[in-house]
Amino acid sequence: MAAVAAAESELEELGVEVIAISTDTHFSHWMWKQTSPTIKNVWFPMAGDPSGSVSRAYGVWKSASGLNQRGRFIIDPEGVVQAVEVLAEPVGRNVDELIRQIRAMQAVRAHPGQAAPAGWTPGEPLIHTGKEYIGVY
Amino acid sequence: MSTRKEFGMWRPVPVAAARLASLALVVAFAALVSGPSAARGQVLGACGTPSENEAPAAPQEMTAAPMSNAHMPLPGDRAINFELPAVVGDEIEMIKLSDYNGSWRVVCFYPADFTFV
């Protein structure tokens, strides 16, 4: 989350809103933000889901502990899920990959019928899809 | 008796004033625990549908069986709207996913505050 906090300007440029959710209460989030040198830079809402109802609705709640998986959902402007990533607890997410994925999603939205190939980075061309391109790649 | 004098070192406090102060504290506490601080988070309908601001018709029942996850939304599914209390900057507010309709959104679930990753 500290990495997402640090990427504020790039995410803002892409028009991305972030919401962080754990099963702690918002009181705990408040104090974490007050006391942590990295979390004090968080610019996006930190929501509390102590009942776990929202976390269960997204399939990321662990019943044995009552804590969430490290799950991340990218959602487009119409409310449709575009990407899901769930990592093992000790492994942190990569905000550069998040940004790459969002740039790819925005690019293919702007160019229907085209796709971002594996390993695509911003600035590279998209590839064409369709019957004429079967077997080309 | 209009004053308390059990402890010689304390100034006598009129009982009426003490009761008024207690009442003021109770009212202040009630105000504190209403509003976002006391609001329950809730699951709403699917984003982008007419029911996105309504709670589902059949709330989860309390049973002896452990609560379980819904199907994890995958690409192409509509995200489920929700309303939760959140720390936003220096404020505590109720936020909804649908507050950001029209924008790209990233919802990051994480295990716990004060941990390490």
Side-chain angles (χ1 to χ4, degrees):
Chain A
M1 211 181 326
V4 177
E8 175 181 6
S9 55
E10 195 166 2
L11 288 169
E12 202 167 316
E13 180 205 319
L14 295 173
V16 176
E17 304 285 351
V18 179
I19 301 173
I21 305 178
S22 76
T23 53
D24 299 292
T25 64
H26 58 282
F27 301 110
S28 175
H29 295 338
W30 178 276
M31 286 313 299
W32 193 27
K33 209 172 170 191
Q34 298 281 316
T35 56
S36 160
T38 53
I39 301 302
K40 71 171 165 40
N41 299 318
V42 164
W43 45 273
F44 44 85
M46 297 176 68
D49 183 32
S51 73
S53 58
V54 174
S55 306
R56 282 190 295 279
Y58 279 78
V60 291
W61 186 73
K62 295 189 287 189
S63 61
S65 60
L67 305 181
N68 289 337
Q69 301 268 13
R70 197 177 302 285
R72 183 263 280 150
F73 297 82
I74 301 176
I75 298 166
D76 78 6
E78 285 72 47
V80 178
V81 174
Q82 300 295 310
V84 179
E85 180 187 79
V86 186
L87 296 180
E89 191 168 329
V91 179
R93 293 181 268 237
N94 182 345
V95 71
D96 294 330
E97 173 61 7
L98 169 67
I99 289 169
R100 188 193 74 88
Q101 288 184 5
I102 291 177
R103 286 192 185 276
M105 289 162 192
Q106 294 181 342
V108 302
R109 243 169 101 96
H111 299 95
Q114 295 183 39
W120 181 87
T121 56
E124 287 178 10
L126 300 176
I127 58 173
H128 291 273
T129 64
K131 191 162 54 92
E132 320 75 85
Y133 296 91
I134 298 175
V136 167
Y137 303 116
Chain B
M1 193 161 73
S2 65
T3 60
R4 294 172 190 269
K5 288 185 181 171
E6 297 94 69
F7 301 99
M9 68 188 83
W10 299 104
R11 265 187 306 120
V13 176
V15 169
R19 285 191 179 140
L20 197 63
S22 302
L23 182 64
L25 280 173
V26 168
V27 168
F29 182 69
L32 185 68
V33 298
S34 59
S37 304
R40 303 278 190 280
Q42 57 176 339
V43 173
L44 301 171
C47 271
T49 66
S51 60
E52 81 176 1
N53 284 307
E54 292 155 22
Q60 196 166 29
E61 290 166 13
M62 299 295 287
T63 65
M67 293 179 281
S68 59
N69 281 310
H71 137 82
M72 181 179 290
L74 291 177
D77 293 338
R78 291 201 167 275
I80 297 299
N81 195 18
F82 53 80
E83 182 174 33
L84 289 175
V87 176
V88 186
D90 285 340
E91 301 296 326
I92 292 175
E93 296 170 5
M94 294 301 287
I95 60 156
K96 292 182 183 173
L97 183 62
S98 57
D99 291 344
Y100 306 108
N101 278 349
S103 294
W104 287 85
R105 289 155 273 184
V106 179
V107 181
C108 293
F109 292 91
Y110 65 99
D113 292 344
F114 301 105
T115 57
F116 320 105
V117 169

